Amino acid sequence: MTTIPVLDGREIPPETRLQEIMARLAALGPGESLVLVAPHDPNKLLRMLLSQLPGRLMWGPLAKGPNAWRWQFVGREPAPRTVCDYLIWDHRRMEEILADGLSMAQAGNWDEAQQRCAEHGIALQHHAFIEDAILFPAYDKATGNLPDGPTALMMEEHHEVRAGIERIQRAAKARDLAELEDALDALVAVAAEHHAKEEEILFPAIDETIPQPNLTQLVENMLLA
Ligand SMILES: [Fe+2]
Ligand SMILES: [Fe+2]
């Protein structure tokens, strides 16, 4: 089970909220994580983090409203950003969320299992979106938009991944453990192969093709999506 410290920004007075959150995030060492709960979309905070703590953090969503926005942050060494660094971290993060959801369901903690499965759905939908809308078009542009290039296949596989998310959430909602285990096995099989292709071939190719500082800019565009 993964236990990450939580900072609930809704409990901090508005006049000191931003400074307190910035201080907690600035204190994260490489590999240290924190979940922030915010009463609104944290996009302004994310922009500030990129300008005031350049290269020091990565993040991804767990919930996007309507009452609470939850974002997971991790500290990193302040080196130039790469696609491998960011998106492989996000792959591992999603796998951990899903494993947690399954453990909770197996223990009979269905409320928590449903929340973890919902968080996994948000994280994976967001991940597929930033690849489809930002990463793959940038790579296609850099390589001259090769017809039948590797990004077309990856986008096709995202459809299968999205169908897998819906099946998992239906099973969690119905509190059907056998169906949840089957749905998870099916998604893990598709995602493991998909992620391996990205991690071993596509992401390293993108990191080699797009020079710095454009590569850092590309990753920052995904972080702000
Ligand atoms: Fe993908
Ligand atoms: Fe990916």
Side-chain angles (χ1 to χ4, degrees):
M1 193 81 62
T2 321
T3 308
I4 300 174
V6 175
L7 175 62
D8 193 337
R10 298 169 303 178
E11 294 171 355
I12 307 171
E15 50 286 8
T16 56
R17 185 183 292 149
L18 194 54
Q19 296 92 306
E20 278 194 41
I21 290 171
M22 289 293 286
R24 280 289 295 277
L25 292 172
L28 287 180
E32 286 182 343
S33 296
L34 180 74
V35 169
L36 172 69
V37 186
H40 51 70
D41 188 326
N43 193 266
K44 184 180 158 199
L45 170 73
L46 303 184
R47 288 180 186 281
M48 282 178 65
L49 291 171
L50 289 184
S51 66
Q52 295 186 19
L53 299 171
R56 286 276 322 284
L57 295 160
M58 300 186 283
W59 53 76
L62 295 167
K64 295 180 173 180
N67 300 316
W69 278 253
R70 281 200 307 283
W71 243 252
Q72 182 176 341
F73 293 84
V74 66
R76 71 187 286 277
E77 297 284 356
R81 293 187 188 275
T82 65
V83 171
C84 281
D85 179 49
Y86 175 39
L87 293 182
I88 294 176
W89 168 75
D90 209 33
H91 286 169
R92 297 294 89 77
R93 176 176 89 96
M94 294 187 292
E95 289 162 7
E96 283 173 13
I97 297 169
L98 208 50
D100 278 358
L102 179 60
S103 304
M104 286 163 179
Q106 286 168 335
N109 298 330
W110 279 104
D111 289 345
E112 288 179 65
Q114 285 168 356
Q115 183 179 332
R116 291 308 266 165
C117 290
E119 289 177 345
H120 172 263
I122 293 285
L124 189 45
Q125 291 279 10
H126 184 84
H127 183 98
F129 168 75
I130 61 179
E131 288 181 346
D132 286 351
I134 298 171
L135 181 67
F136 298 161
Y139 182 58
D140 288 344
K141 193 173 168 201
T143 52
N145 280 314
L146 296 170
D148 299 326
T151 59
L153 174 64
M154 295 294 106
M155 287 173 84
E156 195 59 40
E157 289 179 0
H158 284 172
H159 292 303
E160 256 182 275
V161 165
R162 288 191 185 95
I165 296 170
E166 284 168 26
R167 188 178 162 201
I168 286 171
Q169 296 200 355
R170 271 197 307 274
K173 209 171 169 190
R175 303 189 173 213
D176 182 338
L177 184 59
E179 168 62 7
L180 182 65
E181 287 175 339
D182 277 358
L184 279 167
D185 284 348
L187 179 69
V188 166
V190 172
E193 206 180 306
H194 179 82
H195 290 169
K197 282 185 266 191
E198 289 182 337
E199 293 177 18
E200 288 162 23
I201 301 165
L202 185 58
F203 294 166
I206 298 173
D207 285 339
E208 258 182 45
T209 303
I210 299 179
Q212 294 289 0
N214 304 23
L215 192 59
T216 287
Q217 184 62 59
L218 173 61
V219 175
E220 290 189 351
N221 289 346
M222 290 192 277
L223 284 165
L224 289 178

